[in-house]
Amino acid sequence: MMEEMGLPSYRGRQIFAAVQHRRLRSFEEMTDLPKDLRARLNERAQVATLTVESRYISEDGTRRYLMKTHDGLPVETVFIPEERRDTICFSSQSGCPLQCSFCLTAKLGLLRTLTAGEIVEQIHIALNDAYGEGGPTPRGTNLVAMGAGEPFLAFEPLMKALRIMADPAGLYIVPNRVTVSTAGIVPRIKELASVPDRPHLAISLAAPTDELRNELMPINKRWPLEELLGACKEFERSLKPGERFTFEYVMLDGVNDSEEQARQLANLLNRHDLRAKVNLIPHNPADPLPYRPSPPERVERFRQILESKGVHAFVRRPRGRDIYAACGQLAARRTTNMPALAQLR
Ligand code: SAH
């Protein structure tokens, strides 16, 4: 763009660093640029397009940002402080076209796929809020594409966003710090395997049989379990030594959490001999979802059965449930589960 405008190319690098490293949100703030250049830039480009509508802070420190695109659609991002590092969970779409029966985002339907810029901006907004505009990120940042939307239906903008964020002159968050979660878009799982410097992969399973998975995740009718695990097998070849991929399994009381289903799940994964682990996610309830979370003892029992059959399994601690920030709760809610909590801005 700088060349098109008849300017030296170092200006391009300077502006890239201002946006992607210093995380400035307007040309006005780039006071190291000549004033007339800032004015010219303002006429033909925009640094930021998302606006933060509200921010909710959980009692566990998790923050949810409810933002709006330039065309008025909701975008949500979650900042999760952890002991050793922070995780930012970003959205790839506004709403989601998949109709998983246990997920609140599904109720929005698909509004639109986000652009690469809108994906990157979410990270800027969360980091600026946590550390001050352009402030250093002392604890390191992991990213998960586990917000609203199906990242593999936003494949191109997502990959572009990851390239931008990996730039050492910018955010410098490399794909090795990023996990992309899919409901099981089989062709994209195979495609990701051949991407150099790819992110880690997580796959949402939710059921050990096609019969149940068809009901919970209709995408399973398009790509059933055998095809999905076949694609995982192909993907496995791209794993680095020591690297695993992850299956996510939401635990729904009385639906998919029995001992028999734990055995079925272990057998399914063992039959495909996959270098994977299972994250058990207690269901995050929300009106009008027709499920309850499995009791903790049942989740633990489920985990033990998986482990006893050689499948590594972990129970994920829900974060930000009280502010509609936990897995499957992003639906542009303008309230919190706990009205007493401070609602900022
Ligand atoms: N569409 C992608 C990215 C979303 S990741 C995918 O499905 O993988 C969000 C994760 O939260 C998924 O693993 C999903 O199965 C899980 N999830 C959805 N609703 C949930 C809920 N109400 N409670 C707990 N986990 C949920």
Side-chain angles (χ1 to χ4, degrees):
M1 191 171 105
M2 292 305 107
E3 279 169 5
E4 267 171 40
M5 292 171 71
L7 293 159
S9 57
Y10 78 84
R11 288 287 186 210
R13 286 193 294 277
Q14 192 179 6
I15 293 168
F16 182 86
V19 178
Q20 302 295 340
H21 183 71
R22 297 163 66 199
R23 305 193 301 265
L24 300 181
R25 308 264 304 143
S26 71
F27 292 118
E28 278 78 42
E29 292 165 271
M30 301 178 195
T31 48
D32 49 341
L33 298 179
K35 218 172 170 177
D36 63 316
L37 174 56
R38 280 184 264 157
R40 280 177 72 195
L41 286 167
N42 257 333
E43 270 164 35
R44 57 184 290 162
Q46 242 179 314
V47 177
T49 64
L50 295 181
T51 48
V52 179
E53 195 181 285
S54 27
R55 177 184 74 169
Y56 303 91
I57 303 186
S58 163
E59 54 183 7
D60 72 16
T62 299
R63 296 176 178 208
R64 174 169 69 100
Y65 303 91
L66 173 56
M67 300 172 280
K68 231 178 15 212
T69 61
H70 66 88
D71 48 348
L73 303 176
V75 175
E76 286 171 288
T77 311
V78 180
F79 180 87
I80 309 157
E82 283 165 305
E83 243 148 60
R84 287 171 38 222
R85 69 188 87 76
D86 300 317
T87 298
I88 296 173
C89 176
F90 65 90
S91 296
S92 54
Q93 299 183 306
S94 179
C96 183
L98 306 183
Q99 290 293 319
C100 302
S101 63
F102 47 81
C103 180
L104 201 58
T105 310
K107 306 294 171 209
L108 292 176
L110 175 64
L111 300 169
R112 110 169 133 68
T113 294
L114 300 181
T115 64
E118 287 164 337
I119 292 174
V120 177
E121 255 192 75
Q122 293 176 60
I123 315 306
H124 292 174
I125 287 170
L127 289 177
N128 282 348
D129 185 55
Y131 297 114
E133 192 162 87
T137 55
R139 287 140 56 82
T141 309
N142 288 345
L143 301 183
V144 294
M146 297 186 184
E150 168 49 49
F152 279 180
L153 297 178
F155 198 76
E156 275 167 29
L158 175 70
M159 290 302 145
K160 185 174 176 188
L162 295 187
R163 279 197 303 278
I164 293 170
M165 294 192 286
D167 196 313
L171 285 172
Y172 201 10
I173 301 175
V174 296
N176 195 32
R177 295 291 203 119
V178 184
T179 301
V180 175
S181 176
T182 181
I185 312 289
V186 159
R188 297 301 197 199
I189 295 174
K190 296 179 184 174
E191 189 174 343
L192 186 70
S194 61
V195 172
D197 279 330
R198 59 158 179 76
H200 300 285
L201 178 66
I203 293 162
S204 302
L205 218 47
T209 63
D210 279 324
E211 197 189 356
L212 181 59
R213 198 164 187 268
N214 285 343
E215 199 181 296
L216 301 179
M217 300 180 69
I219 187 85
N220 194 66
K221 294 179 194 155
R222 178 78 175 78
W223 291 290
L225 283 170
E226 281 305 306
E227 275 187 56
L228 178 58
L229 296 182
C232 293
K233 198 69 201 162
E234 268 183 51
F235 182 83
E236 191 179 53
R237 283 192 248 126
S238 75
L239 293 180
K240 302 196 184 75
E243 190 192 358
R244 290 179 177 277
F245 62 97
T246 307
F247 288 108
E248 295 145 288
Y249 192 99
V250 52
M251 299 287 295
L252 308 167
D253 182 24
V255 174
N256 66 357
D257 61 351
S258 72
E259 300 195 1
E260 171 64 12
Q261 284 160 325
R263 286 189 289 272
Q264 284 174 334
L265 178 61
N267 292 343
L268 179 73
L269 299 183
N270 284 335
R271 187 149 49 75
H272 288 83
D273 187 26
L274 292 162
R275 248 169 70 197
K277 65 176 162 99
V278 176
N279 277 344
L280 300 173
I281 312 178
H283 174 63
N284 298 306
D287 199 33
L289 299 176
Y291 303 103
R292 285 178 315 263
S294 307
E297 317 78 68
R298 195 145 357 110
V299 177
E300 180 51 25
R301 182 75 195 119
F302 200 92
R303 189 192 68 77
Q304 282 169 3
I305 294 173
L306 292 178
E307 287 282 349
S308 73
K309 290 179 160 282
V311 175
H312 292 302
F314 304 86
V315 179
R316 286 257 290 262
R317 180 164 63 104
R319 298 292 304 267
R321 253 186 190 173
D322 53 339
I323 55 160
Y324 285 105
C327 299
Q329 288 190 316
L330 298 184
R333 289 264 161 119
R334 285 176 178 79
T335 52
T336 67
N337 275 339
M338 292 185 174
L341 270 181
Q343 211 169 299
L344 292 137
R345 284 224 283 201

